[in-house]
Amino acid sequence: MMKHRFSLLMAALFMLLTAQAAENYPYRSDYLWVAVPDHADWLYQTGEQATVEVQFYKYGIPRDGTVQWEVGTDLLPADKKGTATLHGGRAKIAIGTAKQPCFRDLRLKMQLDGKTYEHHVKVGFSADKIQPFTQEPKDFWTFWQQQLEASKSFPMSYTKEYVKELSDQKTDCYLMKIPIDRQRHAFYAYLLVPHGAKAGSCPVVLTPPGAGVKTIKDGSARRFWPEHGFIRMAIEIHGMNPTMSDRAFSDINAAFNNRDNSYFRQGLEDRDRYYMKHVYLGLVRCIDVLCSLPEWDGRNVITQGGSQGGALSIIAAALDPRVTLCVANHPALSDMAAGSADGRTSGYPHFTRESGAYTKDCMQTLPYYDVVNFARHLQTPVYMTWGYNDNTCPPTTSWAVWNVMKGQKECLLTPINEHWTSDATDRGQMEWVSKRLK
């Protein structure tokens, strides 16, 4: 039976001012916005009126003033504006309703003591009915099965080098280079193995990267996975050796990132030549490598990541039946073509008409690479997390992905989160996985 467990993380807002948890607000800030929708879960039905109480504090003291506000559909221009006067640091703003399932964004701005302070908060309307703009091509699954079959003819190989400075008494770290195809594409990876792991003892975790042209400099990140008995492979997708010099990295980064939407735009006119093709197929090759390790327990294969990494985690789980569990945070690459239609919210990388991504040829390619179409085929149990205040991977597209999944699924909704997850959430995902190992 399909499992829908909606857990709601509503930590006290004032706690977000302390330590690194202050990412929704300027770090060590003198001020604090608090925005409290009149529905505790920030969700409404279409046609329901939503009201948000706004509070503003400086040095912890309520401040009065005039707030300029506007409301627009998620990531789209405002269609409603007004002002509100704070009394005792508080005011209520009636933001209205929505006729169609969507998220609405209340954007706040106030001038005080010669400075401008801004904040925003998003609420959803019939979010469980949000559907993607992107449609599935009739030959979507056939296309990818053909690509996977063709990729099998390229023999698996890799190099593996022990990295002493990233190893410790609990974890052995290795730098790997994994060739992906005959076009000389390759991934680099840090492989983190529990120290002293015995043959056949460890579940394996594939962790794809977030977006950007970058190396995997920190091979020690999230060591709690290997410290709890998992083999974790953290990969990059551009063939960027983490031992390269900063100068070499800078030159390569400039070559990749000096165009609209960088690598996401390369070859988009042709589904067979699109840049992300080797990336998607490379995920399966990485799973080949993980399943060849003598320490693998022979049963458990997990994909886990956030943003672009969340997207690639879902894609890998859909493409490879060996994946037994999938964990994804706010997946990117979701409903990417939606921006071609008026009034629709598109997912990262937020293509525009100016980028040339919405020509006829590009629009034919995009559905073959969109997460929503992989999610439709996902059979693996999935645990997904997303926040509502996220402007990078907006809640509209995360809900669209969630709503098309038909298999076993659980989610953690964290409304106040922007484009981040807390350490507690990250560890909670590992705990979710640990309870479901075969």
Side-chain angles (χ1 to χ4, degrees), residues 22-42:
E23 295 179 45
N24 274 18
Y25 305 93
Y27 180 49
R28 295 184 178 178
S29 166
D30 292 332
Y31 73 94
L32 171 67
W33 287 97
V34 179
V36 184
D38 59 349
H39 280 198
D41 60 1
W42 302 26

Side-chain angles (χ1 to χ4, degrees), residues 389-422:
N389 282 352
D390 195 337
N391 279 340
T392 302
C393 296
T396 299
T397 58
S398 288
W399 272 100
V401 171
W402 174 260
N403 288 341
V404 301
M405 290 180 182
K406 298 181 178 64
Q408 295 182 34
K409 56 183 181 178
E410 298 181 37
C411 70
L412 173 65
L413 301 178
T414 59
I416 200 169
N417 284 35
E418 297 187 14
H419 198 59
W420 57 275
T421 57
S422 69

Side-chain angles (χ1 to χ4, degrees), residues 12-84:
L13 299 183
F14 289 106
M15 293 300 292
L16 293 173
L17 284 176
T18 61
Q20 296 302 318
E23 295 179 45
N24 274 18
Y25 305 93
Y27 180 49
R28 295 184 178 178
S29 166
D30 292 332
Y31 73 94
L32 171 67
W33 287 97
V34 179
V36 184
D38 59 349
H39 280 198
D41 60 1
W42 302 26
L43 297 176
Y44 301 77
Q45 295 300 313
T46 51
E48 281 190 288
Q49 299 292 320
T51 298
V52 177
E53 181 183 62
V54 175
Q55 304 171 29
F56 183 86
Y57 302 85
K58 192 169 183 180
Y59 308 127
I61 301 170
R63 297 294 300 270
D64 292 346
T66 299
V67 176
Q68 295 178 317
W69 60 267
E70 63 180 32
V71 180
T73 299
D74 201 1
L75 296 190
L76 299 179
D79 50 50
K80 185 176 182 180
K81 299 181 180 181
T83 61

